[in-house]
Structures are given as C-alpha cells and as structure tokens.
Amino acid sequence: MSDDPRPITPEIVTEEEEEKENKGGLVTQGTRPKILYLVPITGRPHLPAQVQPLIVSKQLWEETLAKSARENQGLLGISYFSEVKGKYVYKEDFPKIGCIVRMLNIQEVQGNLQFIAQGLERFKIKKFLSDKPPFVAEVEYFPESKDDEDKVKAYAISIISSIKQLLSLNPLYSEELKQYLNRFSPDQPSPLTDFAAGITTASGDDLQDILETESILDRMKKVMMLLQKEIEIAKLQTKIQKDINIQVDDNKRKFFLKEQLKAIQKELGIQKDDKTSDVDRFKERFAKLHPPEHVVKRFDEEIEKLSVLETGSSEYGVTRNYLDWVTSFPWGVYSKDKIDIVRAEKVLDRDHAGLSDVKERIIEFFAAGVYKKDISGSIILFVGPPGVGKTSIGKSIAEALGRKFYRFSLGGMRDEAEIKGHRRTYVGALPGKLVQALKDTAVANPVIMLDEVDKIGASYQGDPASALLEVLDPEQNAEFLDHYLDLRIDLSKVLFICTANTLDTIPGPLLDRMDRINLSGYITSEKMEIARRHLWPKLLKRNKLNAATITITDPTIRHLIEGYAREAGVRNLEKLLNKIIRKSIVRILKEKQEKIQINIKSLEELLGPPIFTPEKQMTGTGIVTGLAWTAMGGATLSIEAVKVHGKSSGFQLTGKLGDVMQESASIALSHVRSSLKSYGISDDYFDDAFIHIHVPEGATPKDGPSAGITIATAIVSLASGRQIKRLLAMTGEITLTGDVLPVGGIKEKIIAARRVGIKEIILPQGCISDFKNLPEYIKEGIEFHFVKKYKEVYNIVFE
C-alpha cells in the first residue's frame, strides 16, 4: 500500500447501473459506492433499516468521517468488532460483512464525534486499499434474493405478529416504536427482518450472524427464533412482576391492618406502642436487681434517651440493645454458698480417684472460706498434662460450693475485646466473655473456668493475656471495666479457676496473680481405680448397656494401662475402653452373644499387640538413666556416651537437644575433666579421646536443666570403664565446681521411674521440700538418695 497522502476518489455508481446489478435492493438514497471508508464499532452491529446515534473517537476516526462526508456523499461503512485487542485495530480484524450508513448531523461531544447513522444496505469487503486509518476498502453488495416469495411473505407476516405480541408484553417499547413498525409491510421483507432483529436483546455476535446471512428466508428464520426467545423472556418477566405485586399488596394490607389493630388497642388501653412497651419492660427488669448508684444513674440517662428517640432510628436500636444487656446483668444478685468441708470432701472423692494432694489443697481453700465466711480473693490455676482431670475438678468445686458453673476456653483467643468487650460505637458490638458469663449464670458469684490459659495468642487486635491481668487480680477486679457497658463491675466475688498444660507460655505478671496447684498424673493403681469406678460405668451407660452384658477383669484393665495407655492422663484410656465396647457390640450383633467377658487374650484380639512392652533399661559402660519432665508428664531418659576414636580430643552432642541441655553437657564434661583423680580417670584420657554423647529418640526435642549429673555420670562411666549394674535413675543440674542444683517436676519424674520398675533414685538436696509433700504411695518401695555435690553421686553409683 502506497503512503501517497492524496485522497482516494471513490467510484460512484449511478442509479441505472445500480438497478442492473441488484433489482429490488435497499438503497434509498440513490448510490452504491464501490469504495467505502470503514469505521469499527463495538457492542452491537448496525443493521440496515436501523436509525440510531453512534459515537466514535475523534482522535482516531475524525479524518475517516471527514473524507467519507466529502468524497462519499456522507456514506460510511460500519463494521462490528466483538472485542478490540490492544490499542489499535488492523485491517485483518475487520469482518467481511458490514453495513453502509448515511451520516447525519455530525457534531463533537466531549472529545468524541456523534452522528445519526441511517442504515442502508449490507456490503462485502473485496479488498483493502489502506493498511492504516483511515481504512478504505473495495466492496460489493449482496445479489438479488431468489427465495420463494410466498414463504418470504408468510414469514414477514409472522414477524410482524411476533413484534406486536412483544410490544404488548414489554412496556419498554413506546408508542412511537409501534408507529415506526407501521411503516414496514410484508412486501419489504429485508428491512422488516433487520428492524425485528434490532429491537431484540440478542448478543452482538447473534446480530452479526443475522447481518452476514445472505438468504432472506434463512435470515427471517433466525430472526423468528430471536423474537420467540424474547417473547418467552417478556412473559416470564411479566409473571414475576405480577407475583411480586401480589405479594407486596398482601404485605401492605397486613401492615395496614396491624397498624389499625394497634391503634384500636391503644385507644382501648389494651396494648402499648413498641417504645412504651420497651421502656416499661426494662424498668420492670431493673427494679428486681440491686445495682450500685453509678449503674442506676446510667440506666436513668439511657431510659430517658430511649423515650425521645424514634423507633425506626439506628440510635434507638443501639440504645435498646444496651439497656437489654444492662438489665440482664445480675447486679447485686448472689447465690448462697454451701461451705461445708465434709460435703466438699464427699463430692471430690465421689468424682475423682487419686489426686489426694490436690484434694487436700482444695479442702484447705474451702476451710479458709469457712473461717472468714467468704470464698473470694483467690485465683486457682491447675497445671498438668492433658487428661488428668483439670476441668472436671473445676466442676466438682462448683458443685461442692453450690455455685453456678461457667466454662470458656482461651485457646487461640487473639482479640482482647473477647475479654473486655467492644466499644458501643462499633456495628455488632458485644460485651466481653465475663459479662456474658454472668448474664448466662444470672448470678454475680459463679465459678468461671478459664480453660487453656497457656494457649492465648496475641495479634494486631491486642493481647488478651494482658487484658486478663485486671480480671485475675484480686486487688483490681472489684472495679473491672467492660468497654461495652462502660460501667464498673465487681468480679471479686467470682471464683476463677484456670487450667494449663505448661507454665512456659503464661506471661509472668499473669502467672504471679494465680495460686498454682500441680496435677502430675496418675500411677497404674490410680488409673485402675478411675477406670473401674468412673470410666467403665460411664461408657456402659452412654451405650445403654448393662454391667452384666460386657465385663472386664482387673488384670485386663492393668494390662490395658501398662501396654496401651501409659500417658499421665486417662483420656486415651477412656478412648481405648470405648473402642473395646464398640468392638464388643459388633460381636454381640454378629455372633448373637448375650454376654461378653474381656480378658487379656481377647483384649489383644480387639486392640492388637501392646504398644508398650516391658521396658528393659539400657545398661553398659557409659550408659545412665535420667529422669525428665514434659508437658505430657514424666519420662525416663537414657543417656549414652562412647569414645569414637583416640586420634584427637573432641566432643559431640546429638539427640535434638536444646540450648540449656547442651550447656549442661559442656558443664558436666568440664567438671569431670577438672577432677580426673577424684573419679578414678587417667590424667591423659581426654587428651586424645573424641567423645560422642547421645540422648535416644533424636527426632524428639529435649531441653531443660535436669540432666547435668546424668551426663556427668555417663562420662565418668565411659572414662573409668565402670558400668552401672543396678536399676538406678537420677535427676539434677551440675555446676562447674560440682554443686548439684535442685530441679522441678519431682512427682512426675518419680511416677515415670516407678512405671518402668526403677527402685533407686538420686535427687538434689534442694528438692527435699517437694519430696516431703508427695503422697506415701508414690514413694513406697523406692530408695532415695539426696546429694549436694557430684562427688556424692559418684560415691553412690560407683562405690
């Protein structure tokens, strides 16, 4: 294509030549140019017989429109683009079929060009004469239709009938459109068909298909399908609108009747309006309470505000909800405590086997309450492994006191508004959990259990643990401020009981406000008692079974505990007993047995081989058994030390040990090397010995300051060549000078040692006070040694 800027002169065809080419065609203005300027449009294609305004970009198409008006007597080719890819259009994007329009009344509107496009006739592009705007193309026109005239006329009559039916269904088509339709007759099938297609809501691609259809009859068939679809949609819309109108009219009628009924009842004094009813109800509720003076003052202010607000306003709803909470809160309503030590002991013994030290501590708490005739000012924290009964003890305390019990879990809580409430200004604002607890229990002195206090989170919404500081401080909680109520609340009469698995994640200031009680877990005899007295009867009752239908022997329960459920708590034991009952029910239904007895043999058939086999303590030179505490309870921990080679001095630690435990190992090695003669080790042993110390179960993280003397003993055993030939375990931290420091978790560690049959334990001298507080049945049958210096450990173990 040449870049010659000279304009292309279009070839003009006279009316006589036009009639020779296509008799009966629709060119009402007398010309059919062979060369056209082209402009693309989007949305819907322009059809012959359509007259409508078009808007095009002035920047892109001003030159095209000017040349078309000047050189083509205002005739322009319009081509439909279903989508425009990119910023520019190219000649390859133009469809082959378009519509000639006559441009009328061209004017500029907000940077665009607007004109009335009068559709004239279809055209086909033969070839392009320009590669860029203004686009110029050589075109040709559709030949004369050769369809059956009778069929065409019949379709034309059907199209006119369908259009009139559509106009009667859809009020969007105006009276002017009906008059416009009267201009078309069955003798003009082509413009009639195009007009019918143009008034439908068909997609641009469907209308382009109509534009490109050469046969008049085929075109009319396609338009009939579009019209029929449009009629069905219009019928559906009419039906929907009719149904909606009926429903709205019915609702209006009911509304007016209700309003009339209210007015009549009000005149007769039978019923009050909504606002008066709300005010009276709140006043009646508030009169039954014993609120402090500042609450009465706030209530009067809010009631006065409610009285002047319109019921339809948003402020009315906010004030009404606020008054609902204020009058639902138990101001000055207290339940009477049943403080009886004997009754409390009976309740605790009935609900819990074992835990004698915990029960004793709770009775002491009750006794203090009896003496001062008030149980308050103390926050109890139960700490222990999962499944040892922390939550159930809280329920028992509430029952023993005769108080209402409310529990909610703090696990995963990240929003401090859960504790202190939201401001009233927020949409959907609510009071905190503590206000909700007092509302639900309807008393101001319930027992509230805060479960999983060690699992509180923190986020951008605040730190709930810090919000609890005010709640759990006996010096502050008499004037706790909830953000929603914005009133001081007395929580000092509430008995708070918290539970946690570990103390590590509880913030120090929060922990300082609580009175700790440790639940260490159960030994085998206690678990058997719990299974016999509590778990087994509860599970039989839950499954609606008689005690005689499925029986289990005591040796079987012991085998179940020692072989399948050695953890500190009894939750897993309960799951296993439930599994036994389920499998037994299957056997009863399948084999038609009336009674089943579970013994050790049938237990292994139901549950498979035991998970835990009798532990054989590791023995040998450089191997020592230590005792450790975990969140799941106590555990035994074997420590191995070996000499890898004698080529160079070195030291390696494995077993996924934490920083504290690695420090303990380094300190233990340094102490032993500084006192070689005292422990019977040759002076040059460590000069060329590469020692490897390992704590088995390397995938399990281990940390804590209680393995110092155990690691030192393993090193001494390795270096002196002497092994420990008796069942012995130890726990304690060591210093560089050989002092043995006290450690925690003594009860859990002794229970773990008893579980595996250890008969001799070495403990730090500083742990004697903890040891003396332990129940005798835990200490029974075990020999204990208390040491201050590591030299004493050495003497006990090796001499």
Side-chain angles (χ1 to χ4, degrees), residues 216-270:
I216 292 286
L217 192 59
D218 292 342
R219 199 185 308 159
M220 297 175 91
K221 290 178 180 178
K222 290 180 180 180
V223 170
M224 276 297 296
M225 293 295 293
L226 294 180
L227 284 172
Q228 198 59 38
K229 183 178 178 182
E230 206 74 19
I231 289 169
E232 293 299 323
I233 293 173
K235 285 181 178 178
L236 184 59
Q237 287 176 336
T238 304
K239 182 179 181 299
I240 292 171
Q241 190 63 40
K242 184 178 178 182
D243 292 343
I244 291 173
N245 289 337
I246 291 172
Q247 188 176 355
V248 169
D249 290 342
D250 189 47
N251 289 338
K252 282 182 180 177
R253 186 175 60 84
K254 287 181 180 178
F255 174 76
F256 287 128
L257 287 173
K258 284 180 180 178
E259 290 300 313
Q260 287 175 348
L261 180 62
K262 281 183 183 179
I264 293 169
Q265 289 176 335
K266 189 176 179 183
E267 285 294 323
L268 296 175
I270 299 173

Side-chain angles (χ1 to χ4, degrees), residues 479-492:
E479 292 190 349
F480 172 74
L481 180 66
D482 181 86
H483 289 159
Y484 180 83
L485 295 182
D486 199 24
L487 294 168
R488 296 289 177 180
I489 298 168
D490 185 3
L491 297 179
S492 62

Side-chain angles (χ1 to χ4, degrees), residues 88-105:
Y88 302 103
V89 295
Y90 303 95
K91 66 178 184 179
E92 292 81 6
D93 300 331
F94 282 81
K96 292 296 181 185
I97 308 296
C99 177
I100 299 178
V101 301
R102 180 175 296 282
M103 297 184 295
L104 304 171
N105 193 24

Side-chain angles (χ1 to χ4, degrees), residues 21-305:
E21 284 191 10
N22 184 15
K23 291 182 181 179
L26 176 73
V27 176
T28 60
Q29 303 301 325
T31 58
R32 298 176 75 185
K34 290 286 185 72
I35 295 175
L36 278 177
Y37 286 92
L38 304 180
V39 169
I41 61 169
T42 56
R44 287 161 61 93
H46 197 92
L47 297 170
Q50 271 190 317
V51 179
Q52 65 182 23
L54 293 179
I55 298 177
V56 297
S57 169
K58 178 181 178 181
Q59 181 182 357
L60 297 177
W61 307 110
E62 182 180 22
E63 185 181 356
T64 303
L65 265 61
K67 288 188 174 183
S68 181
R70 186 171 63 249
E71 301 169 9
N72 263 18
Q73 301 174 5
L75 298 180
L76 179 69
I78 298 294
S79 297
Y80 166 70
F81 281 45
S82 59
E83 61 176 336
V84 178
K85 298 177 181 178
K87 187 176 180 181
Y88 302 103
V89 295
Y90 303 95
K91 66 178 184 179
E92 292 81 6
D93 300 331
F94 282 81
K96 292 296 181 185
I97 308 296
C99 177
I100 299 178
V101 301
R102 180 175 296 282
M103 297 184 295
L104 304 171
N105 193 24
I106 302 175
Q107 56 184 337
E108 183 178 343
V109 179
Q110 296 180 352
N112 295 316
L113 293 176
Q114 178 179 295
F115 59 92
I116 303 296
Q118 180 186 7
L120 301 177
E121 189 172 355
R122 291 165 173 77
F123 68 83
K124 292 181 186 178
I125 297 175
K126 290 177 65 177
K127 66 177 180 178
F128 275 89
L129 304 177
S130 172
D131 291 329
K132 57 185 179 181
F135 289 105
V136 186
E138 183 180 341
V139 299
E140 61 182 357
Y141 299 91
F142 281 25
E144 183 181 356
S145 173
K146 298 179 180 179
D147 294 323
D148 187 335
E149 291 185 4
D150 291 337
K151 284 186 178 181
V152 169
K153 191 169 184 178
Y155 269 101
I157 293 170
S158 295
I159 287 175
I160 292 173
S161 174
S162 297
I163 293 175
K164 288 182 177 179
Q165 185 181 357
L166 183 60
L167 293 178
S168 67
L169 289 170
N170 195 334
L172 293 176
Y173 298 109
S174 63
E175 190 65 31
E176 288 81 359
L177 195 57
K178 293 180 183 179
Q179 295 174 4
Y180 187 65
L181 177 62
N182 292 332
R183 300 178 187 175
F184 296 99
S185 69
D187 298 328
Q188 296 176 305
S190 182
L192 175 65
T193 306
D194 292 334
F195 170 77
I199 67 171
T200 66
T201 57
S203 67
D205 291 337
D206 288 340
L207 294 181
Q208 180 66 19
D209 182 41
I210 299 292
L211 187 67
E212 293 177 355
T213 303
E214 187 171 323
S215 167
I216 292 286
L217 192 59
D218 292 342
R219 199 185 308 159
M220 297 175 91
K221 290 178 180 178
K222 290 180 180 180
V223 170
M224 276 297 296
M225 293 295 293
L226 294 180
L227 284 172
Q228 198 59 38
K229 183 178 178 182
E230 206 74 19
I231 289 169
E232 293 299 323
I233 293 173
K235 285 181 178 178
L236 184 59
Q237 287 176 336
T238 304
K239 182 179 181 299
I240 292 171
Q241 190 63 40
K242 184 178 178 182
D243 292 343
I244 291 173
N245 289 337
I246 291 172
Q247 188 176 355
V248 169
D249 290 342
D250 189 47
N251 289 338
K252 282 182 180 177
R253 186 175 60 84
K254 287 181 180 178
F255 174 76
F256 287 128
L257 287 173
K258 284 180 180 178
E259 290 300 313
Q260 287 175 348
L261 180 62
K262 281 183 183 179
I264 293 169
Q265 289 176 335
K266 189 176 179 183
E267 285 294 323
L268 296 175
I270 299 173
Q271 187 180 12
K272 303 167 186 174
D273 62 9
D274 291 341
K275 187 193 297 184
T276 308
S277 177
D278 286 340
V279 169
D280 289 349
R281 185 172 74 255
F282 291 143
K283 285 182 177 179
E284 184 181 346
R285 267 204 236 164
F286 198 67
K288 296 177 182 178
L289 304 174
H290 310 286
E293 186 177 343
H294 70 280
V295 177
V296 175
K297 184 179 178 183
R298 175 65 63 81
F299 175 78
D300 291 340
E301 291 172 357
E302 296 294 329
I303 278 289
E304 186 178 346
K305 185 197 296 185

Side-chain angles (χ1 to χ4, degrees), residues 549-618:
T549 307
I550 303 176
T551 56
I552 187 167
T553 62
D554 286 352
T556 308
I557 296 176
R558 178 178 289 276
H559 183 65
L560 176 67
I561 292 167
E562 294 180 347
Y564 299 86
R566 282 192 183 177
E567 74 286 343
V570 292
R571 191 168 289 141
N572 191 44
L573 176 60
E574 182 178 2
K575 291 178 183 176
L576 292 170
L577 289 171
N578 198 25
K579 185 176 182 180
I580 290 169
I581 289 176
R582 290 199 310 268
K583 289 182 174 290
S584 300
I585 292 173
V586 172
R587 189 175 292 178
I588 288 172
L589 296 175
K590 280 187 175 181
E591 301 176 7
K592 307 297 182 183
Q593 296 184 22
E594 293 184 0
K595 295 182 179 180
I596 287 182
Q597 184 177 40
I598 310 298
N599 52 36
I600 293 176
K601 183 180 178 182
S602 60
L603 181 70
E604 296 192 2
E605 290 175 1
L606 293 171
L607 301 180
I611 299 170
F612 304 101
T613 54
E615 289 188 29
K616 185 177 180 182
Q617 292 301 303
M618 298 172 65

